């Protein structure tokens, strides 16, 4: 995944439709016509996409071998040489996590092609892999067919290698490559066009910066024509007028609500991408792209997400009606690492166990109204049929489940028949106990599927869905009640600018145990009660534990380097120098490079530095004007006077979209007490640079 000006993707803004409640008497209905579709509805290929729900991204290219997120385009094809590539192992790993398809990065921004394209020599055909006779795309497509996973491809529009990028000849080249990929590898379910468009690159040796108009340069009408002609069942992710949209972040979180509809009447924003547009005239649902590791490509010093964390992401994506695109990163062998596979398997095991039995089956179902036998209340429990209320029964409509015996659950599943459109706005779920009805959940939007994870299990014989507001009478299907196994998410670990470490329990009533000596924490380890100091760095390992049952979370590990507690800002042309070391919002001057000189209080052998982009706390106006730095130059000095030549310069990869901390490692260690950092410009040519903190790498 790459950083882009996401405004290139869509144009539009939200709109809300409000309707007055209409009372309706809960009387039995005779056979009636089925409900007519309301508003926008999905095309068949989009409906198939919704049913896919979760699938894998696979980022694999020369970057895997250079330890970078973005290649510059000048990398030698000789670098691509996986030692034990196995398409079957990659596909089996995705299948082990319950993922239903794979989307492979056939070409990333560096321009290296994982198939033997006849239009370039910058491809696997000229690499050492299989002496130039390999075809990673073909091998992955065949492995997907063998193991029952659908297949899709990613083709970056931006190409930092091609000499003609930015000119008409490249567009012809790009269309030719798209024709190859959509005709040579069998059925594709998705074609992914990233939105990173133009910037610094090798460009056949020119080594310059090229800008393009992302709306017009690639001739998107022609792109759509090629895909529709060759792969009519494939959805496209890309610029405006495509099938699915970006969710607006790379953290794995869909909005709540996350409407599957869209409009193009006002300018695009990240908030709009995250939430969608209620009542929008276009069906354009959100895809949630996130990586199992901090980076999109494999890096040896990164670890995968835990099963509990993946489960949480699943509820915040699939559970909000979006689709989860989970990235897997093969290592330099060309395989998914064992620890990633273990996490995927455990994640699937939790879901399989928790969703094995729908505890609502066997319930007696009644409703405020219905449209006859074909839309009877009992159909709400079906995956293939639905309950439909009569046309006037909107706000105030209800559906009730009465189980034969008391049932304990902590997940509620609801779904609309989206072939009839998005009809429900606000709703609540109640349970009945000895004192009457008690509300346990209240949300906005149901869509294709809404999964409500309660804070704690509840026990009842009766459950009621109440429609609080709706633009059309509800059409509800696939209702379910489930009980997850007792799975604890790992604690959070944070250190402030003064070196104080805080451990955060993932839920109330849990204890947190931790170690500082590198050993694995257990029930006998130190109990966290208050923040502690770790100014000079170290490794914290922690787990959450439910003392009453002995259930523990996975262990989370956080390694810290030297904190900025003793640093001072010698000089800067940015605003509020104190904010630079406080981890807050540090803002540079307008339309100028940002210059910073730090005194680190003592000399260190520095292996690199870190910079944290700011992801929150920006107003709409600030988002328009400000962005993280695009690149850097770094000098070190023993005395703050003699600086010599820069020890490093380059770009921050994917910093516009990803809010992960950037780690820049020097080619060799350099000694120094004073650090000088120059940040030439903000991403996307915004006038002001903004970020949220600096660090050093000494380990």
């Amino acid at each position: 995944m790459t950083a882009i000006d996401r405004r290139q993707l869509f144009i539009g803004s939200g709109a809300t439709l409000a309707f007055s409640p209409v009372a309706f008497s809960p009387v039995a209905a005779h056979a009636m016509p089925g409900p007519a579709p309301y508003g926008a509805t999905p095309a068949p290929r989009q409906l198939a996409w919704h049913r896919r729900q979760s699938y894998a991204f696979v980022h694999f290219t020369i970057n895997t071998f250079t330890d970078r997120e973005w290649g510059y385009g000048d990398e030698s094809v000789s670098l691509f040489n996986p030692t034990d590539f196995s398409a079957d192992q990659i596909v089996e790993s995705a299948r082990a996590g319950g993922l239903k398809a794979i989307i492979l990065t056939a070409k990333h921004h560096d321009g290296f092609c994982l198939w033997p394209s006849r239009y370039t020599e910058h491809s696997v055909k000229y690499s050492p892999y299989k002496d130039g006779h390999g075809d990673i795309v073909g091998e992955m497509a065949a492995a997907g067919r063998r193991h029952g996973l659908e297949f899709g491809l990613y083709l970056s529009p931006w190409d930092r290698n091609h000499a003609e990028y930015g000119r008409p000849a490249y567009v012809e080249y790009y269309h030719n490559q798209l024709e190859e990929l959509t005709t040579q590898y069998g059925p594709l379910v998705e074609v992914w066009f990233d939105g990173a468009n133009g910037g610094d690159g090798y460009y056949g040796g020119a080594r310059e910066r090229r800008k393009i108009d992302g709306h017009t340069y690639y001739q998107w009408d022609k792109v759509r024509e090629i895909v529709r002609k060759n792969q009519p069942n494939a959805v496209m992710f890309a610029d405006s007028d495509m099938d699915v949209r970006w969710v607006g972040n790379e953290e794995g979180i869909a909005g709540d609500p996350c409407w599957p509809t869209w409009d193009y009447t006002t300018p695009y924003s990240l908030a709009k991408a995250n939430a969608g547009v209620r009542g929008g005239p276009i069906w354009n649902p959100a895809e949630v792209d996130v990586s199992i590791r901090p980076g999109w490509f494999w890096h040896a010093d990164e670890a995968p997400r835990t099963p509990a964390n993946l489960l949480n992401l699943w509820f915040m994506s699939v559970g909000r009606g979006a689709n989860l695109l989970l990235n897997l990163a093969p290592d330099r062998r060309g395989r998914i690492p064992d620890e990633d596979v273990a996490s995927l398997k455990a994640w699937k095991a939790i879901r399989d166990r928790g969703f094995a039995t729908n505890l609502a089956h066997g319930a007696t179902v009644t409703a405020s109204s219905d449209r006859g036998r074909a839309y009877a209340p009992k159909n709400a429990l079906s995956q293939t049929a639905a309950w439909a209320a009569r046309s006037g029964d909107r706000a105030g409509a209800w559906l009730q489940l009465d189980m034969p015996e008391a049932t304990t659950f902590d997940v509620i599943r609801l779904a609309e028949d989206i072939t009839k459109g998005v009809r429900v706005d606000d709703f609540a779920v109640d349970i009945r106990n000895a004192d009457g009805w008690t509300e346990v959940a209240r949300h906005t939007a149901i869509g294709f599927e809404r999964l409500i994870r309660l804070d704690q299990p509840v026990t009842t014989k009766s459950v009621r869905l109440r429609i609080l507001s709706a633009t059309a009478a509800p059409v509800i299907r696939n209702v379910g009640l489930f009980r997850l196994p007792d799975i604890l998410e790992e604690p959070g670990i944070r250190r402030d600018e003064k070196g104080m470490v805080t451990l955060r329990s993932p839920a109330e009533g849990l204890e947190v145990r931790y170690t500082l000596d590198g050993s694995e924490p257990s029930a006998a380890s130190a109990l966290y009660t208050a923040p502690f100091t770790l100014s000079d760095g170290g490794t914290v390992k922690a787990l959450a534990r439910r003392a009453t049952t002995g259930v523990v979370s996975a262990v989370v590990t956080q390694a810290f380097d030297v904190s900025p507690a003793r640093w001072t800002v010698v000089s800067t042309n940015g605003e509020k120098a104190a904010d630079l070391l406080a981890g807050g919002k540090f803002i540079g001057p307008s339309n100028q490079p940002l210059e910073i000189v730090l005194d680190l209080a003592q000399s260190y052998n520095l292996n690199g530095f870190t910079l944290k982009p700011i992801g929150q706390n920006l107003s709409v106006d600030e988002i328009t004007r400000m962005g993280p730095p695009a690149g850097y130059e770094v000098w070190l000095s023993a005395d703050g006077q003699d600086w010599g030549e820069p020890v490093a310069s380059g770009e921050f990869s994917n910093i516009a979209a990803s809010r992960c901390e950037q780690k820049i490692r020097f080619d060799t260690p350099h000694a120094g007490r004073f650090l000088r950092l120059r940040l030439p410009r903000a991403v996307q040519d915004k006038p002001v640079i903004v970020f949220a903190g600096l660090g050093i790498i000494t380990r």
Side-chain angles (χ1 to χ4, degrees), residues 101-389:
I102 279 184
I103 299 174
L104 174 68
T105 54
K107 184 186 78 168
H108 206 254
H109 310 322
D110 52 81
F112 181 78
C113 301
L114 292 182
W115 79 102
S117 174
R118 59 183 172 274
Y119 298 103
T120 180
E121 295 183 0
H122 198 60
S123 79
V124 68
K125 184 177 180 180
Y126 297 89
S127 77
Y129 177 63
K130 292 189 174 181
D131 295 324
H133 297 291
D135 182 348
I136 298 294
V137 174
E139 292 179 56
M140 289 291 296
R145 288 191 290 271
R146 281 193 296 273
H147 297 284
L149 263 64
E150 297 174 303
F151 191 55
L153 288 170
Y154 165 117
L155 183 66
S156 170
W158 187 20
D159 189 322
R160 307 174 89 180
N161 171 266
H162 201 281
E164 296 299 315
Y165 182 81
R167 301 164 185 154
Y170 173 76
V171 179
E172 181 180 356
Y173 167 82
Y174 187 70
H175 292 169
N176 285 336
Q177 290 200 317
L178 181 59
E179 187 75 29
E180 284 184 316
L181 290 174
T182 56
T183 57
Q184 295 178 180
Y185 296 103
L188 302 178
V189 295
E190 186 161 345
V191 183
W192 224 92
F193 304 110
D194 207 325
N197 292 310
D200 296 331
Y202 173 68
Y203 303 131
R207 295 188 180 278
E208 61 188 17
R209 191 164 182 239
R210 296 182 181 176
K211 296 179 65 176
I212 55 95
D213 182 343
H215 296 288
T216 60
Y217 173 62
Y218 302 108
Q219 299 177 24
W220 289 112
D221 286 345
K222 177 68 173 178
V223 167
R224 282 187 286 270
E225 178 186 326
I226 292 170
V227 176
R228 292 286 181 255
K229 176 189 66 174
N230 298 331
Q231 298 288 340
N233 296 323
V235 297
M236 285 180 276
F237 174 104
D239 212 323
S240 57
D241 300 314
M242 295 298 187
D243 299 294
V244 295
R245 73 176 193 267
W246 187 48
V247 78
N249 63 70
E250 294 184 354
E251 282 74 59
I253 302 172
D256 189 2
C258 185
W259 302 105
T261 48
W262 193 259
D263 68 23
Y264 294 104
T265 58
T266 56
Y268 168 88
S269 72
L270 296 181
K272 179 183 174 182
N274 198 235
V277 177
R278 178 61 179 118
I282 300 164
W283 196 270
N284 191 228
E287 186 175 74
V288 179
D289 55 328
V290 64
S291 186
I292 196 170
R293 289 177 173 234
W296 290 96
F297 290 93
W298 177 82
H299 306 285
D301 60 349
E302 295 180 349
R305 296 176 183 272
T306 65
N309 180 264
L310 290 173
L311 184 69
N312 193 39
L313 290 180
W314 192 68
F315 274 99
M316 291 192 293
S317 55
V318 172
R320 295 175 180 177
N323 274 15
L324 175 61
L325 178 57
L326 179 66
N327 182 66
L328 310 181
D331 58 23
R332 290 174 185 170
R333 299 173 302 166
R335 292 173 175 259
I336 305 300
D338 293 345
E339 58 267 36
D340 300 51
V341 176
S343 191
L344 288 165
K345 288 181 176 178
W347 174 46
K348 183 177 185 294
I350 295 169
R351 287 148 49 216
D352 287 348
R353 181 178 167 190
F355 289 88
T357 302
N358 184 351
L359 301 172
H361 282 163
T364 299
V365 188
T366 54
S368 54
S369 71
D370 65 69
R371 287 177 173 265
R373 182 177 301 174
Y375 292 94
K378 67 178 182 180
N379 291 347
L381 302 182
S382 171
Q383 295 185 24
T384 57
W387 160 65

Side-chain angles (χ1 to χ4, degrees), residues 11-54:
I11 303 173
S13 74
T16 302
L17 302 177
F19 290 81
S20 300
V22 176
F24 196 91
S25 176
V27 297
H30 297 290
M32 300 177 63
Y38 173 83
T41 57
R45 60 181 176 273
Q46 292 172 313
L47 185 59
W49 174 89
H50 277 287
R51 291 170 177 158
R52 211 163 285 128
Q53 289 196 303
S54 55

Side-chain angles (χ1 to χ4, degrees), residues 376-566:
K378 67 178 182 180
N379 291 347
L381 302 182
S382 171
Q383 295 185 24
T384 57
W387 160 65
R390 294 182 66 178
S391 60
D393 195 9
R394 298 199 301 267
W398 54 265
L399 182 78
Q400 183 170 322
L401 312 180
D402 293 300
M403 275 76 73
E405 58 186 27
T407 301
T408 301
F409 59 90
D410 56 6
V411 174
I412 303 162
R413 183 180 66 202
L414 303 170
E416 292 187 84
D417 179 355
I418 58 173
T419 66
K420 306 299 184 183
V422 175
R423 307 164 80 89
V424 175
D425 288 274
D426 303 305
F427 66 94
V429 179
D430 309 322
I431 62 171
R432 188 159 58 189
N433 51 35
D435 297 323
W437 290 102
T438 299
E439 184 176 296
V440 295
R442 179 182 289 242
H443 289 278
T444 299
I446 295 176
F448 179 77
E449 184 167 274
R450 164 69 79 159
L451 297 173
I452 303 166
R453 190 178 185 183
L454 303 178
D455 292 336
Q456 58 187 9
V458 296
T459 302
T460 185
K461 290 183 68 175
S462 298
V463 178
R464 181 176 66 185
L465 167 66
R466 282 185 294 123
I467 306 302
L468 305 177
S469 62
T471 52
V475 182
I476 303 296
R477 53 179 287 278
N478 206 22
V479 174
L481 305 174
F482 304 93
R483 176 71 186 273
L484 290 173
D486 192 5
I487 301 297
L488 304 183
E489 192 167 0
E490 62 273 14
I493 304 176
R494 181 183 179 275
R495 188 182 67 173
D496 66 17
E497 70 279 3
K498 296 180 180 179
M500 297 298 293
V501 175
T502 301
L503 306 183
R504 178 185 55 79
S505 173
E508 291 185 9
L510 304 179
E511 61 184 32
V512 176
R513 301 280 177 170
Y514 71 98
T515 64
L516 300 177
D517 61 1
S519 63
E520 295 297 296
S522 67
S525 299
L527 175 66
Y528 175 76
T529 57
F532 54 88
T533 302
L534 206 63
S535 295
D536 292 328
T539 299
V540 181
K541 293 189 173 186
L543 58 77
R545 180 175 181 270
R546 195 184 307 280
T548 55
T549 62
V551 174
V552 298
S553 72
V555 173
V556 60
T557 301
Q558 181 68 58
F560 294 103
D561 214 300
V562 177
S563 80
R566 297 190 298 122

Side-chain angles (χ1 to χ4, degrees), residues 560-682:
F560 294 103
D561 214 300
V562 177
S563 80
R566 297 190 298 122
W567 302 358
T568 56
V569 180
V570 177
S571 64
T572 181
N573 61 344
E575 299 179 10
K576 299 180 181 178
D579 290 344
L580 175 58
L581 303 181
K585 183 168 58 180
F586 184 64
I587 300 172
S590 182
N591 294 307
Q592 295 181 49
L594 177 53
E595 305 267 0
I596 300 162
V597 177
L598 298 177
D599 181 353
L600 306 178
Q602 70 178 70
S603 181
Y604 294 97
N605 280 324
L606 294 178
N607 294 308
F609 75 98
T610 65
L611 181 143
K612 185 172 178 55
I614 190 165
Q616 306 295 331
N617 304 319
L618 292 179
S619 67
V620 174
D621 176 65
E622 287 174 328
I623 290 173
T624 301
R625 296 186 301 112
M626 300 178 184
Y632 59 87
E633 296 175 283
V634 185
W635 293 261
L636 294 174
S637 171
D639 58 6
Q641 302 297 320
D642 182 12
W643 293 101
E645 296 296 318
V647 297
S649 62
E651 66 180 9
F652 295 111
S653 297
N654 195 27
I655 195 170
S658 174
R659 294 299 179 257
C660 292
E661 183 178 72
Q662 294 273 335
K663 295 181 180 179
I664 304 300
R665 292 190 176 272
F666 304 151
D667 292 337
T668 58
H670 295 271
R673 169 173 172 166
F674 294 85
L675 183 148
R676 176 184 167 200
L677 180 64
R678 183 177 187 270
L679 306 173
R681 60 182 177 83

